[in-house]
Amino acid sequence: VGEDSAAFEFGEQKLSSWAYFTVILGTVLVALNVLWINPSTGFGTAFIDAVSGLSESPEVALLMLILIFALVHSGLASLRDAGEKLIGERAYRVLFAGVSLPLVVSTVVYFINHRYDGTQLWQLQNVFGIHELVWFSSFISFFFLYPSTFNLLEVAAVDKPKLHMWETGIMRITRHPQMVGQVIWCLAHTLWIGNTVAVAASIGLIAHHLFGVWNGDRRLALRYGQAFEVLKSRTSVVPFAAVLDGRQKLPKDYYKEFVRLPYVTITALTLGAYFAHPLMQASSFQLHW
């Protein structure tokens, strides 16, 4: 049986662990700003200039940024077992995050700054119901996109990071929620923006996550063996497929698997991100990436 995802018990939490988490988060953000984001001290501007200088096309530059991130992110994920044996679980998580975070920030900022630079293919923003459809789709996508937030202490390496074999909650719907969430997000934003930059971003991101489906299953099979094959047999990649064909039996109180603090947190952060769009756009524009 796979692990119960999004389980959170207040009685099991240590105040010291969350204090460490706060300190680590603050340290990471300061380091990210000084070493990467700040144009006067960081390497982010030089990195963006080097990549975008290879082509005048924003579509090509964006695809290259996504490719670089994908190679680093998936490569380090594939080397996780060997890396953890060499330097330990916590140190490898710090290395993984320390390399991946600047690359994803660069890619997101570049997309925000150049999202309307491409050739317009369609214009549906004034069509009745499109805004609501895009907003709702984007909102739902975040419930799929961030299963890793189920344990923030592991993400920050306060707790020893583990390769989890989740099965409850969103995992009953699809075994690869991040892929599904990314597809939903990409389709919604491509529909809204309607140009070649959005299409390029969607192609790159979806391709990366489809590879992640294969790579994730491969890594879980290597780690858990027959136990993963059993879990795999009663879950599906395609949303709701295992439920519809009877391989996944939903409990009568299935809704309770979502009435948990991590999902409440995702809801609050998703709403916050929506209202913070103007702030994110203004901050990205100031970097001139």
Side-chain angles (χ1 to χ4, degrees), residues 30-149:
V30 170
L32 180 65
N33 180 63
V34 173
L35 298 176
W36 196 259
I37 296 176
N38 192 317
S40 61
T41 60
F43 297 97
T45 299
F47 171 71
I48 291 292
D49 289 344
V51 174
S52 60
L54 297 175
S55 173
E56 295 181 356
S57 167
E59 295 88 348
V60 173
L62 183 57
L63 282 172
M64 287 191 293
L65 287 170
I66 294 173
L67 177 61
I68 293 170
F69 168 74
L71 289 173
V72 171
H73 189 268
S74 294
L76 288 175
S78 298
L79 296 172
R80 178 174 179 173
D81 286 345
E84 288 182 342
K85 290 178 182 178
L86 184 64
I87 64 175
E89 292 91 340
R90 286 187 171 91
Y92 196 79
R93 173 56 60 88
V94 172
L95 172 66
F96 181 85
V99 176
S100 300
L101 189 57
L103 295 178
V104 73
V105 168
S106 299
T107 305
V108 169
V109 170
Y110 186 88
F111 171 73
I112 292 175
N113 285 345
H114 296 272
R115 67 194 185 281
Y116 289 122
D117 288 355
T119 302
Q120 200 68 34
L121 302 174
W122 59 81
Q123 180 59 262
L124 303 177
Q125 293 185 4
N126 294 324
V127 175
F128 176 78
I130 289 296
H131 178 270
E132 289 74 16
L133 174 63
V134 170
W135 188 93
F136 180 75
S137 299
S138 299
F139 181 81
I140 292 298
S141 74
F142 279 85
F143 282 91
F144 290 89
L145 267 169
Y146 291 108
S148 60
T149 57

Side-chain angles (χ1 to χ4, degrees), residues 92-286:
Y92 196 79
R93 173 56 60 88
V94 172
L95 172 66
F96 181 85
V99 176
S100 300
L101 189 57
L103 295 178
V104 73
V105 168
S106 299
T107 305
V108 169
V109 170
Y110 186 88
F111 171 73
I112 292 175
N113 285 345
H114 296 272
R115 67 194 185 281
Y116 289 122
D117 288 355
T119 302
Q120 200 68 34
L121 302 174
W122 59 81
Q123 180 59 262
L124 303 177
Q125 293 185 4
N126 294 324
V127 175
F128 176 78
I130 289 296
H131 178 270
E132 289 74 16
L133 174 63
V134 170
W135 188 93
F136 180 75
S137 299
S138 299
F139 181 81
I140 292 298
S141 74
F142 279 85
F143 282 91
F144 290 89
L145 267 169
Y146 291 108
S148 60
T149 57
F150 288 156
N151 193 337
L152 288 174
L153 296 181
E154 283 187 31
V155 174
V158 175
D159 288 348
K160 184 178 292 188
K162 301 175 183 177
L163 183 62
H164 291 279
M165 192 169 66
W166 305 117
E167 188 174 7
T168 62
I170 204 74
M171 300 297 177
R172 296 185 188 274
I173 297 174
T174 171
R175 191 169 65 254
H176 289 281
Q178 286 182 305
M179 180 275 293
V180 173
Q182 189 66 77
V183 170
I184 295 173
W185 186 94
C186 284
L187 293 178
H189 283 72
T190 300
L191 178 67
W192 180 255
I193 297 173
N195 65 14
T196 51
V197 169
V199 171
S202 293
I203 291 173
L205 290 170
I206 291 174
H208 170 49
H209 280 76
L210 289 176
F211 172 78
V213 169
W214 171 82
N215 197 33
D217 279 357
R218 180 188 67 83
R219 292 168 56 221
L220 285 170
L222 289 173
R223 176 67 64 92
Y224 292 105
Q226 183 59 32
F228 173 69
E229 296 302 324
V230 172
L231 183 145
K232 184 178 179 180
S233 70
R234 57 179 179 240
T235 56
S236 62
V237 176
V238 178
F240 297 103
V243 176
L244 293 175
D245 65 21
R247 289 182 290 125
Q248 175 64 237
K249 303 294 184 182
L250 297 180
K252 292 182 180 180
D253 57 352
Y254 176 54
Y255 72 93
K256 291 183 179 179
E257 295 181 3
F258 289 91
V259 187
R260 291 173 169 177
L261 184 60
Y263 286 112
V264 174
T265 302
I266 291 173
T267 301
L269 292 176
T270 303
L271 292 173
Y274 173 76
F275 290 110
H277 266 57
L279 179 60
M280 290 188 290
Q281 293 165 7
S283 300
S284 298
F285 179 74
Q286 290 178 4

